[in-house]
Amino acid sequence: MASHAPADSMVAAASPLRDWAAGLPADVLLAILHRLDHIDILTAADNVCCSWRRAAREEPSLWRRITMRGHEGIARRLNRCGMACEAVRRAAGQCEAFCGEYAGDDGFLVYLMEQAPYLKSLRLISCNGVTNEGVAEAVKELPLLEELELSLCENVGGSEVFEVVGEVCPHLSNFRICKKLFDVRVQNRDNDVRGIATMHGLHSLQLFSNLLTNKGLETILDNCPHLESLDIRHCFNIEMDESLLLKCARISILRIPDDPLDDYNLEVQSPIRIIPDDPIDVPCSDYSDYSSEDD
């Protein structure tokens, strides 16, 4: 007796495999892509199928708020600045927020200010190719900025560049600049203060491992009357005395130098809080101004 395969299996064998990815409705596909990091979209989603590639390349709303974080393990194998430029290009002038880690240099900032005139949020983390000059030129063309972060960017800092930010970004309400290491041996303790004090509209300020002093913080508080959130963790030149606590009483969210780091999400190194008794290769005269202001 001849054997016969079940009818449903014969139909399955005769029918081609369904390309489920290509058949997704546009709104469902975009919902999926919106959940991905933009690096994943550039390196993987582009290659799934034609419909995914078309959505990833031709839907500007997908690139309105760009996030390129993490991926440190493969950062050296990727042209991160080139990928950042491509992400901004796909926004077709609609980019309102860019957050990049290891993904920015001065050349990228030039491209950003040309392609994203409506940018409201710029967050650069561990972008050592970014300089004071690059930031100063970029923010002049980004007057709508409401949020600016320049964390772990070793070549950015000082009142000269921050004064430019305060002058040309009148809507700036959130400013964050974090360092990896608090080092008491560095002398320019209030180096950022004058510039930050020009950002009169700030509502939120984070200065992690900054070298500012009580006097510097008081200057900022006097010139930024709208501050609602202040984070000065690991700013160990600051002593929260009665006068300073009184000035901070109006601030709703206050994190002081020794507060825990449970919610801190950037790299941090153990602080150097005490000047060595026998510093190496540093003249003793370099420490002459580290006596307590209360002495």
Side-chain angles (χ1 to χ4, degrees), residues 19-35:
D19 185 353
W20 66 269
L24 287 175
D27 56 341
V28 175
L29 175 55
L30 287 176
I32 293 173
L33 293 177
H34 272 295
R35 291 177 177 272

Side-chain angles (χ1 to χ4, degrees), residues 141-173:
E141 303 299 325
L142 301 171
L144 300 181
L145 276 183
E146 299 174 1
E147 178 180 31
L148 178 62
E149 176 173 4
L150 300 164
S151 291
L152 311 186
C153 297
E154 296 181 358
N155 297 312
V156 178
S159 283
E160 184 176 350
V161 64
F162 296 153
E163 281 183 296
V164 175
V165 174
E167 178 182 353
V168 302
C169 299
H171 304 290
L172 193 70
S173 60

Side-chain angles (χ1 to χ4, degrees), residues 50 52 56 58 78 116 143 149 155 157 192 212 275 286 290:
C50 291
W52 281 52
E58 300 177 7
L78 297 175
E149 176 173 4
N155 297 312
D192 301 329
L212 81 167
I275 300 171
D286 285 353
Y290 281 99

Side-chain angles (χ1 to χ4, degrees), residues 135-245:
V135 171
E137 289 304 311
V139 295
K140 291 176 184 177
E141 303 299 325
L142 301 171
L144 300 181
L145 276 183
E146 299 174 1
E147 178 180 31
L148 178 62
E149 176 173 4
L150 300 164
S151 291
L152 311 186
C153 297
E154 296 181 358
N155 297 312
V156 178
S159 283
E160 184 176 350
V161 64
F162 296 153
E163 281 183 296
V164 175
V165 174
E167 178 182 353
V168 302
C169 299
H171 304 290
L172 193 70
S173 60
N174 299 282
F175 184 61
R176 186 187 193 202
I177 179 166
C178 303
K179 303 295 184 182
K180 294 179 184 178
L181 171 67
F182 174 88
D183 189 346
V184 73
R185 297 170 299 182
V186 179
Q187 291 196 54
N188 289 334
R189 293 185 288 181
D190 285 323
N191 192 40
D192 301 329
V193 167
R194 190 178 71 252
I196 295 173
T198 66
M199 304 175 189
H200 304 302
L202 286 183
H203 286 246
S204 176
L205 174 63
Q206 183 178 41
L207 301 172
F208 190 92
S209 288
N210 199 280
L211 297 167
L212 81 167
T213 64
N214 281 36
K215 183 177 180 181
L217 181 56
E218 288 176 359
T219 299
I220 292 173
L221 292 171
D222 289 341
N223 287 275
C224 300
H226 305 293
L227 272 180
E228 300 171 355
S229 175
L230 175 64
D231 186 347
I232 49 172
R233 284 177 289 182
H234 275 223
C235 296
F236 295 116
N237 282 331
I238 292 176
E239 296 182 9
M240 298 302 296
D241 56 27
E242 185 176 348
S243 172
L244 195 53
L245 286 170

